[in-house]
Amino acid sequence: MSTSNSTVTPTTTSSEIFGFIPQYIFYTVLAAVVIMIVGYVVGRLVEILIKKIAYTTGLDAFFRKTSIGRALLRSGYTAGDFLGLFVKWVIYIAAIFYALLELSYVSPNLAFLYDTSRSVLSYLPYLVSGVIILVIGLIMVDWISDYFKRSYPTNDQYSQTLLNFVGDAFRFILYYMVITIALSVMKVNVTILYIFAQGLAWAVAIGLGIAIGLVLAVPLREPLRRLLESEWGGQRRSEEKGGGGG
């Protein structure tokens, strides 16, 4: 009976990188770093692209004609600068929280990163939609208000002042509507704004009624004066004839 001694060499599967970093941690961290680098590069490229599009399409020039555009210009930003900066930071924030979401798989102790990242990423589309509605809405309100004022030119200073008041009142109402809609899209509780709007609606309605009445009174002022003078003069002549006949 012959026995053969066979040596068994155990096969060990290396689960560590550099001898001390577990593979799953290394690749998870690497994926998170790659996500952040890609997010940074994409954000910068998109910002440059938006600036060029805003300049070549004349969006910067159109932006200067609005109140919000002039306010941004005084702060040192053009339309392209503002939109590019906004989109860039949206991409940055998305990349950061996608990276944190990836890191949350490393350990069960990082479950709070998963919940936080999912909450931010799920809310981000609502935030972007609300800001887009706010910016576009305010620009359109400025354009409509200015168009209203330019459509009814008048040489009378009194009429022009009242016309400006009516235009600014409409601007304020539309501002309020746009802001309320944008905040609703952002999932912000706007109940207090609705309550405030009820009282504001009555005040604006009364003010507009008075302003419109004053505006209409200007062209009717001269015919009304002549009518009153003719009526008053006719009554006085009738009284004088009646007195002379007696």
Side-chain angles (χ1 to χ4, degrees):
M1 182 176 180
S2 60
T3 59
S4 59
N5 296 328
S6 59
T7 304
V8 178
T9 303
T11 57
T12 59
T13 303
S14 176
S15 61
E16 295 181 345
I17 304 295
F18 306 122
F20 63 94
I21 302 176
Q23 278 188 354
Y24 73 95
I25 293 180
F26 176 80
Y27 289 120
T28 302
V29 174
L30 180 62
V33 172
V34 169
I35 290 172
M36 294 185 67
I37 293 174
V38 171
Y40 174 79
V41 174
V42 172
R44 291 288 297 168
L45 291 177
V46 170
E47 181 186 22
I48 295 171
L49 181 62
I50 289 176
K51 287 183 179 180
K52 289 185 177 180
I53 292 174
Y55 179 77
T56 56
T57 58
L59 183 61
D60 285 337
F62 174 77
F63 218 60
R64 294 189 188 99
K65 299 177 182 178
T66 63
S67 298
I68 185 173
R70 290 189 291 269
L72 286 173
L73 284 174
R74 286 193 293 269
S75 302
Y77 291 96
T78 63
D81 294 335
F82 172 76
L83 295 176
L85 189 66
F86 173 71
V87 175
K88 179 183 73 173
W89 275 102
V90 168
I91 295 174
Y92 283 176
I93 294 172
I96 290 171
F97 282 95
Y98 269 117
L100 292 177
L101 186 65
E102 190 69 23
L103 290 175
S104 67
Y105 297 113
V106 170
S107 171
N109 295 327
L110 298 177
F112 69 94
L113 284 181
Y114 178 86
D115 297 332
T116 303
S117 302
R118 287 294 299 270
S119 299
V120 172
L121 292 173
S122 61
Y123 178 72
L124 204 56
Y126 299 107
L127 176 64
V128 174
S129 301
V131 172
I132 291 174
I133 292 173
L134 184 64
V135 172
I136 295 178
L138 293 180
I139 292 174
M140 293 305 298
V141 167
D142 281 342
W143 184 83
I144 292 172
S145 178
D146 292 338
Y147 179 79
F148 173 78
K149 292 179 181 179
R150 292 194 304 268
S151 299
Y152 300 96
T154 177
N155 296 325
D156 186 83
Q157 184 65 32
Y158 181 72
S159 300
Q160 187 62 49
T161 301
L162 291 176
L163 188 63
N164 290 337
F165 172 77
V166 174
D168 291 337
F170 276 115
R171 186 200 302 265
F172 180 76
I173 294 172
L174 293 176
Y175 273 170
Y176 192 90
M177 293 174 59
V178 169
I179 293 172
T180 303
I181 293 172
L183 292 177
S184 298
V185 171
M186 293 180 193
K187 303 297 183 181
V188 177
N189 189 356
V190 293
T191 304
I192 186 65
L193 294 180
Y194 288 132
I195 296 173
F196 178 71
Q198 293 177 359
L200 180 65
W202 283 104
V204 171
I206 294 173
L208 285 177
I210 295 173
I212 292 172
L214 292 174
V215 170
L216 294 177
V218 172
L220 295 177
R221 181 173 53 190
E222 189 63 24
L224 183 61
R225 183 183 64 81
R226 290 197 297 266
L227 177 63
L228 292 176
E229 287 180 350
S230 62
E231 290 293 332
W232 178 257
Q235 184 179 359
R236 289 186 62 183
R237 284 193 295 270
S238 298
E239 291 177 354
E240 290 175 355
K241 289 181 180 179

